[in-house]
Amino acid sequence: MVDQYDVIVVGGGPAGSTTAGYLARYGHRTLLLERSQFPRHRIGESLLPSMMPVLEDFGLVEACRNAGFVEKTGATFIWGKTREPWDIRFSDTPFLPSGFAFHVERSVFDQILLDNARRCGAEVNMNATVLEAIREGDRIAGVVYRDGETGGTQAVRAKFVVDASGSASIIGRQVTERRYDDQMRQVAMYSYFKNVRGAQDFRNKHIIIESCPKGWFWFIPMNSERLGEVSLGLVTGREFEDEIRAKGIEGFYNEALSEAPYVNELIGPKAERLEEIQAVRDWAYTCDETAGPGYYLAGDAAAFLDPLLSTGVSLGMLAGYSSSVCIHSVLGNPEMEAAAAKFYSNNYRQMYEVTRDFLHYFYAGNASAHPNDLFWQARRMLKFDENIGAKQAFSFFINTIPGNPHPALQKQIPMFHQFMNNLDHSVNEVKEPAGMEKIVTGGFRSARELSDEDVPIVNGRLESTWRINRASHTLEPIRGITFDRDRPVFSSTSSWLLGRNVSPLEDSACDLMELMDGESPWSTIIGNFSGKAGLPLEEARKRTAEIVAPLLAEDYVLVQGRAAAQ
Ligand SMILES: Cc1cc2nc3c(=O)[nH]c(=O)nc-3n(C[C@H](O)[C@H](O)[C@H](O)COP(=O)(O)OP(=O)(O)OC[C@H]3O[C@@H](n4cnc5c(N)ncnc54)[C@H](O)[C@@H]3O)c2cc1C
């Protein structure tokens, strides 16, 4: 049968509209099917700088300003050992792609993105509910949907289906297993207020998060005619099910609010609630495969993480970009299908795992603030890898690039220390991960020149993988060194979705690094290199020195042994 479309995107939230916008822009016949009529309400109002390049790509930053969205400049936490607020200011972290993001009214923001997808050339059908996938062998080859206008069902076929249907994950549930994070099955209750006092200083553009005995509150400044000036939500636990039933949602929420003094002060005495308090599920999950034959899952359809770090919408948009690049690459070169799916799935899995570990670490680190409260006693037990938690915290705050210390580190290192000092974990507790032990206990160090008896080791992992070419929006092969979860420094959470932090290296450098087993000295390596390359020993030594000089300069290669002669 003939495919009517290149791609069908299910769902018109941030993930779906971003995917459809890019694919249509790359010239592919794209159909987006959205169940509801817009505008429609959604929770998830505070965004991250990591999604700003997407808005910039589409020229939508001005549209967001014109919509009156508050420019978000950072986050303030009342979290940890003291009740003193502490801040993350985006402008202090120069490796973020933007110094600000937005706090948005989702019904307006999602409409902006959907209109943009349409403008880019995607065909958009509203009131179109996808019912099931069309399968062809093990391939997803289209969908069946109900047309809300006519009441009839339609079958449409495409080379790819992107499921961006949010937590409904209508296709995802048919093709892969969802895995819940049993330790993070939470509940959220939220509403909107006007006539609030708000922060009286630079924090008036921050999301403010205050932990309280029953969980934590978000205070998101908004600027909405309909929803007022503040979105105020409580994240709490399943352990209170009975209490919530007894007190009612409103009673429970108000009682929790009375135990959050900082937020109460921000709300002020004149605040008026504009809506009923709504309760929603906040259960973290991921799934086994986020891409496979004929399908990709993006946004909440793929995975959901607790909102403490405000990651949801931004991750959905980055997944939209990443899935569009993968599909664009495969439509241009069908032989890449398996590699592209693997690239996407691996990135999703790693992003989910490191962020989940960091969230567990963040929660557990607040336990001593409320030592006798049920919610926090349970979170003290959260499982995480102490190393990953601290290292992720480090990269979250420092955002550094290996071998490229930036003057702004002077500001970022205190931010990291402030974080670690506030939480119950101490920096000293951090143990070196398996690979690092060797480096640390073996006394590996920087060197700038070859010395026969030095033993070199690769300070990272050599990989042959793929990366996104931002000019052609396709995947291209890359060979180089990665700094990933086993390494001391790695890139910030969101960027995991776009592929790992690979520093490209020439084949000659990779070939040489493959000979570094952490035990052989340079003399042996040069001998092996001479044999492999068919070069006389002296020439091999000269060539090795040339190849290795930039690797030593960047600390991609460390050495063990006496200090190299200067
Ligand atoms: C309590 C709470 C607080 C949060 N706070 C934040 C925050 O501060 N910042 C943040 O970034 N994120 C936050 N999030 C997360 C955020 O809400 C989601 O991550 C985000 O909305 C995901 O976008 P999406 O495009 O994947 O899905 P959605 O926004 O859910 O969009 C999915 C779309 O698919 C449509 N759809 C569903 N089923 C079908 C079907 N069968 N056929 C056709 N269409 C269908 C739906 O109508 C919907 O429009 C929060 C979440 C919760 C629960």
Side-chain angles (χ1 to χ4, degrees):
M1 279 181 86
V2 181
D3 291 323
Q4 291 134 292
Y5 294 92
D6 293 317
V7 188
I8 296 167
V9 178
V10 185
S17 293
T18 304
T19 313
Y22 276 117
L23 283 164
R25 192 195 238 191
Y26 305 150
H28 303 300
R29 293 165 302 157
T30 306
L31 171 69
L32 185 151
L33 300 170
E34 165 57 48
R35 180 175 61 184
S36 60
Q37 292 285 13
F38 274 26
R40 57 101 179 86
H41 174 75
R42 263 283 177 291
I43 188 66
E45 290 133 346
S46 191
L47 312 187
L48 294 175
S50 57
M51 62 80 221
M52 290 299 285
V54 175
L55 292 184
E56 282 159 14
D57 266 2
F58 287 125
L60 295 177
V61 177
E62 234 11 71
C64 288
R65 286 209 174 96
N66 293 340
F69 299 151
V70 175
E71 283 187 22
K72 174 181 177 182
T73 52
T76 299
F77 290 89
I78 298 93
W79 191 279
K81 288 181 220 153
T82 77
R83 297 284 85 192
E84 279 303 305
W86 50 275
D87 308 290
I88 298 168
R89 298 197 202 202
F90 296 149
S91 58
D92 286 349
T93 57
F95 300 112
L96 293 175
S98 162
F100 71 96
F102 288 107
H103 301 293
V104 301
E105 180 177 352
R106 285 290 301 278
S107 58
V108 180
F109 183 69
D110 288 16
Q111 182 81 63
I112 289 174
L113 290 178
L114 188 75
D115 289 347
N116 174 67
R118 215 181 256 123
R119 260 197 316 276
C120 289
E123 190 179 323
V124 175
N125 285 8
M126 305 304 283
N127 206 355
T129 304
V130 171
L131 303 172
E132 60 181 357
I134 299 173
R135 284 173 184 271
E136 211 164 70
D138 67 348
R139 194 172 178 82
I140 300 301
V143 300
V144 177
Y145 73 95
R146 188 176 52 245
D147 182 334
E149 303 288 310
T150 63
T153 55
Q154 302 264 1
V156 268
R157 300 173 60 83
K159 296 188 177 75
F160 282 96
V161 174
V162 178
D163 185 356
S165 63
S167 58
S169 193
I170 183 78
I171 306 299
R173 285 173 194 262
Q174 293 176 30
V175 293
T176 182
E177 265 317 290
R178 181 177 283 193
R179 311 262 170 217
Y180 285 97
D181 176 355
D182 282 331
Q183 298 178 291
M184 295 294 267
R185 293 193 194 234
Q186 316 209 102
V187 185
M189 301 171 181
Y190 67 95
S191 188
Y192 300 91
F193 291 78
K194 67 173 184 179
N195 298 332
V196 295
R197 181 190 284 136
Q200 302 298 306
D201 53 12
F202 68 92
R203 291 179 180 134
N204 65 355
K205 292 183 171 183
H206 283 196
I207 182 173
I208 297 178
I209 286 175
E210 180 179 17
S211 74
C212 63
K214 287 191 163 63
W216 58 271
F217 275 93
W218 75 72
F219 178 100
I220 299 176
M222 313 254 299
N223 177 20
S224 156
E225 269 178 35
R226 199 171 64 83
L227 297 176
E229 295 142 25
V230 162
S231 160
L232 185 67
L234 166 70
V235 172
T236 185
R238 282 200 304 180
E239 44 275 72
F240 298 115
E241 262 171 14
D242 291 344
E243 198 177 327
I244 294 170
R245 213 169 292 123
K247 292 179 177 158
I249 289 173
E250 188 162 337
F252 186 85
Y253 177 94
N254 285 335
E255 193 179 304
L257 185 55
S258 71
E259 295 175 323
Y262 194 86
V263 164
N264 260 300
E265 186 64 25
L266 289 173
I267 291 279
K270 298 190 185 132
E272 282 174 59
R273 182 153 55 78
L274 293 171
E275 303 225 332
E276 287 275 290
I277 296 164
Q278 303 202 36
V280 288
R281 239 162 59 155
D282 164 14
W283 289 11
Y285 56 78
T286 185
C287 60
D288 287 349
E289 296 300 338
T290 47
Y295 76 87
Y296 280 77
L297 315 180
D300 284 7
F304 179 78
L305 287 149
D306 182 80
L308 181 60
L309 301 175
S310 309
T311 41
V313 171
S314 305
L315 289 177
M317 291 170 72
L318 291 179
Y321 175 61
S322 183
S323 63
S324 75
V325 165
C326 291
I327 291 170
H328 180 45
S329 303
V330 178
L331 288 174
N333 175 7
E335 285 182 7
M336 280 189 57
E337 175 152 10
K342 191 169 162 213
F343 170 83
Y344 186 81
S345 256
N346 283 349
N347 290 343
Y348 235 115
R349 186 173 308 116
Q350 287 175 334
M351 178 284 295
Y352 179 83
E353 285 173 5
V354 290
T355 314
R356 177 205 54 204
D357 270 11
F358 184 46
L359 279 164
H360 286 191
Y361 187 75
F362 215 131
Y363 269 97
N366 189 49
S368 71
H370 311 282
N372 304 318
D373 293 290
L374 199 59
F375 181 89
W376 293 104
Q377 278 170 0
R379 270 116 200 112
R380 187 191 286 282
M381 305 300 165
L382 281 171
K383 283 201 206 84
F384 55 87
D385 177 332
E386 185 82 30
N387 251 321
I388 298 295
K391 287 185 193 311
Q392 182 64 351
F394 185 76
S395 73
F396 187 78
F397 288 101
I398 308 292
N399 276 291
T400 192
I401 293 172
N404 181 18
H406 190 279
L409 278 180
Q410 281 165 0
K411 283 186 183 164
Q412 292 173 286
I413 287 174
M415 266 202 308
F416 170 66
H417 281 292
Q418 150 203 278
F419 171 79
M420 295 305 289
N421 289 339
N422 268 290
L423 266 68
D424 290 342
H425 319 291
S426 97
V427 186
N428 299 336
E429 277 170 30
V430 178
K431 298 177 293 296
E432 298 303 336
M436 278 299 289
E437 260 162 40
K438 196 169 180 187
I439 293 179
V440 172
T441 57
F444 284 87
R445 58 176 170 73
S446 297
R448 295 293 171 256
E449 283 173 31
L450 290 195
S451 173
D452 264 4
E453 58 271 41
D454 277 351
V455 175
I457 190 167
V458 178
N459 184 20
R461 183 180 297 168
L462 271 183
E463 286 212 20
S464 294
T465 177
W466 300 86
R467 73 166 165 192
I468 294 175
N469 180 323
R470 289 279 291 161
S472 64
H473 304 290
T474 52
L475 294 181
E476 62 183 15
I478 180 173
R479 199 168 171 213
I481 182 167
T482 60
F483 292 86
D484 61 14
R485 60 182 303 153
D486 300 330
R487 308 310 310 168
V489 180
F490 49 84
S491 59
S492 72
T493 302
S494 319
S495 65
W496 282 78
L497 266 187
L498 302 182
R500 264 173 301 158
N501 201 3
V502 184
S503 305
L505 295 173
E506 300 283 329
D507 278 348
S508 56
C510 294
D511 293 344
L512 186 66
M513 285 162 106
E514 271 167 9
L515 301 175
M516 299 176 196
D517 56 12
E519 285 168 10
S520 312
W522 279 121
S523 51
T524 312
I525 290 171
I526 292 167
N528 290 343
F529 182 57
S530 135
K532 229 176 141 185
L535 292 173
L537 202 58
E538 262 326 292
E539 215 168 302
R541 178 184 301 279
K542 208 170 136 228
R543 182 81 189 105
T544 304
E546 278 166 17
I547 296 171
V548 99
L551 305 178
L552 292 172
E554 293 285 351
D555 281 345
Y556 290 154
V557 170
L558 301 175
V559 299
Q560 184 184 42
R562 69 169 178 74
Q566 294 300 303

